[in-house]
Amino acid sequence: MLRRAASADYDTWLRIGQKISRETRRKLKDAAAGPIFNRLREEQVALIRSLPMEAAKKAQEWAASGLSDGQRYADIAQRIKNELGGVTESRAICIARTETARARSNFTQARAQAVGSTHYVWHTVGDNAVRPRHRELDRTVHSWSDPPICDVGAGGTPIRSHPGCVFNCRCWPEPLFYEKDK
């Protein structure tokens, strides 16, 4: 029964994902959003410290292409595990989740900035697994040019990041658009 339900869910995702992916591919090629998205993607590659640089670039590339192809993070995790070698299943899942969320967040940022957005509202999924700092950030306004401190890294170093761009983050940005004075 669980397999049938999972299969039905996956089939539905594929159908919907195909419709979404056509539009996403078109928008990623857009002259305004495309360069911003590519710059953000390159910046994110440096954050994958558990893989060699070439492998990190591939993982980010797969996540970005997965965004435009309608793939789920589980498909990308399998590819990371199979093609990069030496990556455990749990690590592959963590990387795939993180890179998929980053790609989605970067895409949102690129599109929003391309049409004039300068700020966004931070949103969490609202469940018990939300990090305490992310819970504090929920529904707060931030500038695309100045990400908030959302976590603490090794040695207590503050981590500045937009929603969805730090490891295993399930948060997302809601772009804000301000009306200009007439």
Side-chain angles (χ1 to χ4, degrees), residues 48 50-52 55-56 59 62 76-96:
I48 310 173
S50 65
L51 295 174
W62 294 335
I76 297 164
Q78 195 62 43
R79 189 168 185 189
I80 290 169
K81 185 174 179 245
N82 292 341
E83 295 185 34
L84 296 184
V87 179
T88 65
E89 185 170 352
S90 63
R91 187 72 190 130
I93 289 169
C94 177
I95 292 168

Side-chain angles (χ1 to χ4, degrees), residues 15-180:
R15 269 194 321 279
I16 293 169
Q18 287 172 350
K19 290 177 188 172
I20 293 171
S21 67
R22 280 191 297 274
E23 183 65 14
T24 302
R25 270 194 297 277
R26 187 182 67 70
K27 287 183 179 179
L28 283 174
K29 289 179 184 174
D30 179 90
I36 297 169
F37 178 76
N38 290 333
R39 179 183 51 80
L40 293 169
R41 188 175 77 185
E42 285 301 314
E43 290 171 5
Q44 296 299 331
V45 167
L47 299 176
I48 310 173
R49 294 195 175 110
S50 65
L51 295 174
M53 186 56 74
E54 281 305 307
K57 284 182 180 181
K58 283 185 179 184
Q60 181 55 236
E61 189 178 294
W62 294 335
S65 68
L67 174 68
S68 64
D69 294 339
Q71 291 181 353
R72 296 169 76 172
Y73 80 87
D75 301 322
I76 297 164
Q78 195 62 43
R79 189 168 185 189
I80 290 169
K81 185 174 179 245
N82 292 341
E83 295 185 34
L84 296 184
V87 179
T88 65
E89 185 170 352
S90 63
R91 187 72 190 130
I93 289 169
C94 177
I95 292 168
R97 276 186 187 151
T98 301
E99 295 315 306
T100 300
R102 279 183 182 153
R104 195 175 324 114
S105 187
N106 288 345
F107 180 56
T108 299
Q109 180 180 352
R111 282 187 356 186
Q113 285 185 304
V115 294
S117 173
T118 59
H119 291 76
Y120 64 88
V121 177
W122 183 296
H123 290 284
T124 70
V125 295
D127 63 17
N128 290 336
V130 171
R131 296 175 181 145
R133 178 67 185 135
H134 293 208
R135 191 172 288 114
E136 292 170 11
L137 290 168
D138 192 31
R139 297 185 183 139
T140 58
V141 175
H142 303 277
S143 169
W144 290 117
S145 63
D146 187 25
I149 295 172
C150 66
D151 220 314
V152 179
T157 306
I159 297 173
R160 290 185 169 276
S161 187
H162 296 299
C165 292
V166 70
F167 57 93
N168 271 331
C169 180
R170 299 169 300 138
C171 300
W172 76 94
E174 175 191 353
L176 293 174
F177 300 95
Y178 299 102
E179 288 188 35
K180 295 192 178 184

